[in-house]
Each structure stands twice: as structure tokens, then as C-alpha cells.
Amino acid sequence: MTVAVRVRPGAGRTRVGGRYDGPHGPALIVAVGAPAVDGKATEAVRRALAEALGVRPAAVSLKLGATSRDKVFIVVGDVGRRVTDLRDGPG
């Protein structure tokens, strides 16, 4: 499945959760401590997203937005409900 993400680099701590209405539709907010240089934030987001969704990091790959705060990742696995809960709250 594809997961739209809004990245907040340089955060005090890693956090996955919240909603941002971005250019790729409703996006999951991922805050990471890594800076937005040389792909460090993207890699940190990929790993944080994998952990939050309960999949291996290898199951998460970047589809769009290598140099943007608005990214789209491909996640292999049945994670749709978990993404919705993290983005919109349990419901």
C-alpha cells in the first residue's frame, strides 16, 4: 500500500502520528531528529515508519519525494488499519 507522509526533520524526538492535508492527500506526520541533509531524514523516516507499522524496514521504500517534506512510501504488508489509526486516531 502507499502511505503519504509529512516529514518534520530536526525534531527533539521521533514521533509518528497526526494528520497533515498535503499534496498527496491526507498524510501521516513523522517527526525525526535527523537533519534534512543527504537523505538522513528520509532514512530516519523510513525506519520510524516501519517500526510504527510493525514491519521490517526492508518492507518500506520511498516512492516519491526524495527531497521534499511531503513523501510517499510503499509499505508491503497489511498495515492499512494501523496507518489510519496513527493518522486519524483510533476509531
Side-chain angles (χ1 to χ4, degrees):
M1 91 171 283
T2 59
V3 179
V5 171
R6 174 66 174 197
V7 179
R8 292 198 174 144
R13 65 184 180 103
T14 298
R15 190 178 79 79
V16 179
R19 180 186 179 111
Y20 176 82
D21 291 319
H24 305 294
L28 177 62
I29 298 171
V30 180
V32 294
V37 291
D38 298 330
K40 290 179 182 174
T42 299
E43 178 59 18
V45 167
R46 188 178 72 82
R47 291 183 176 278
L49 189 57
E51 184 176 337
L53 297 178
V55 298
R56 294 184 355 256
V60 180
S61 59
L62 183 66
K63 179 178 179 184
L64 294 170
T67 60
S68 173
R69 288 181 186 225
D70 297 301
K71 301 180 184 300
V72 177
F73 286 88
I74 297 173
V75 180
V76 177
D78 186 19
V79 297
R81 180 69 181 170
R82 182 74 179 135
V83 169
T84 302
D85 286 350
L86 286 168
R87 186 187 61 214
D88 302 325

